[in-house]
Amino acid sequence: MDIYEKLRNGEPINTKDSKEFKEVLWPETMRSRTLCQKINSLPPFDDKVKVLIDELFEGRMPESSKISTPIQIDRGHCVSIGERVFINEGLDVMAAGSITIENDVLIGPQVTILTSNHDFKDLVILKNKPVVIKERVWIGAKAVLCPGVTIGEGAVVATGAVVTKDVAPHTLVGGNPAKYIKDI
């Protein structure tokens, strides 16, 4: 089992002593952050932005999907983006546990997606859980998606919501922590 599979499965990783962290995860963090810095230093519609985003996602970014800059993604290797996805400016991602964004998703400005947390008893231990955003989801501006959540198909996450639990398909949630508001 490789380090990325361990992360997706929620196995704890020691950030201080793990050889895999130092030799696999940290270099990917450096690669991704360096690319994000280059992306963010360019004018938003510069042709080089698309080339660098393609490099960040290792050629897996569909032509039909778009990301507005600036962005901060710590591990592009761990993010999967579907067709016809639009991500507005200011996306901030900690992706070690993996993030899957399915087709036809809209993500508003300054959204944060987290897959990592630290063990309360030993802060050098990193714990991860995947985040999955199903098809036709709309994530409102400044929402925060916490480790391990799945946003069900056709759901809407209101502006500023902090999602700590799964969101049922075709529902609207909002607040901190996010709670069911109504079916849609």
Side-chain angles (χ1 to χ4, degrees):
M1 179 182 312
D2 76 1
I3 186 73
Y4 292 110
E5 191 172 345
K6 289 178 183 177
L7 292 167
R8 283 189 298 276
N9 290 332
E11 291 188 30
I13 303 296
N14 186 317
T15 60
K16 189 175 181 182
D17 299 327
S18 168
K19 181 178 177 185
E20 290 173 309
F21 182 84
K22 292 175 185 172
E23 293 180 6
V24 178
L25 288 181
W26 188 245
E28 172 59 13
T29 298
M30 290 175 23
R31 182 192 78 85
S32 295
R33 289 184 179 171
T34 299
L35 284 166
C36 286
Q37 190 276 329
K38 289 178 183 179
I39 291 164
N40 296 337
S41 71
L42 293 168
F45 300 104
D46 190 305
D47 291 340
K48 293 176 192 166
V49 169
K50 182 170 179 7
V51 172
L52 291 169
I53 286 175
D54 194 50
E55 185 178 343
L56 176 65
F57 293 111
E58 301 170 320
R60 296 175 287 110
M61 177 81 169
E63 190 71 33
S64 64
S65 294
K66 304 289 182 240
I67 298 179
S68 296
T69 61
I71 58 173
Q72 184 57 53
I73 298 172
D74 70 340
R75 292 179 180 94
H77 178 80
C78 298
V79 179
S80 173
I81 297 175
E83 298 284 346
R84 298 169 304 281
V85 170
F86 178 74
I87 300 172
N88 216 322
E89 64 183 43
L91 179 70
D92 191 1
V93 168
M94 294 186 73
S98 85
I99 296 170
T100 302
I101 301 171
E102 294 185 358
N103 300 329
D104 302 304
V105 169
L106 297 175
I107 298 180
Q110 291 141 20
V111 167
T112 300
I113 304 173
L114 307 168
T115 67
S116 301
N117 206 345
H118 290 274
D119 187 304
F120 293 139
K121 295 177 185 171
D122 187 352
L123 297 179
V124 300
I125 302 297
L126 191 63
K127 293 178 156 186
N128 300 276
K129 293 181 183 176
V131 170
V132 177
I133 303 171
K134 296 290 193 175
E135 292 192 0
R136 295 184 307 284
V137 166
W138 179 16
I139 308 293
K142 296 188 178 184
V144 176
L145 308 184
C146 293
V149 300
T150 295
I151 311 299
E153 182 176 338
V156 175
V157 174
T159 295
V162 177
V163 181
T164 59
K165 296 180 181 174
D166 290 351
V167 175
H170 307 290
T171 60
L172 169 65
V173 299
N176 181 5
K179 293 186 172 139
Y180 168 85
I181 296 173
K182 67 178 183 176
D183 291 333
I184 50 174

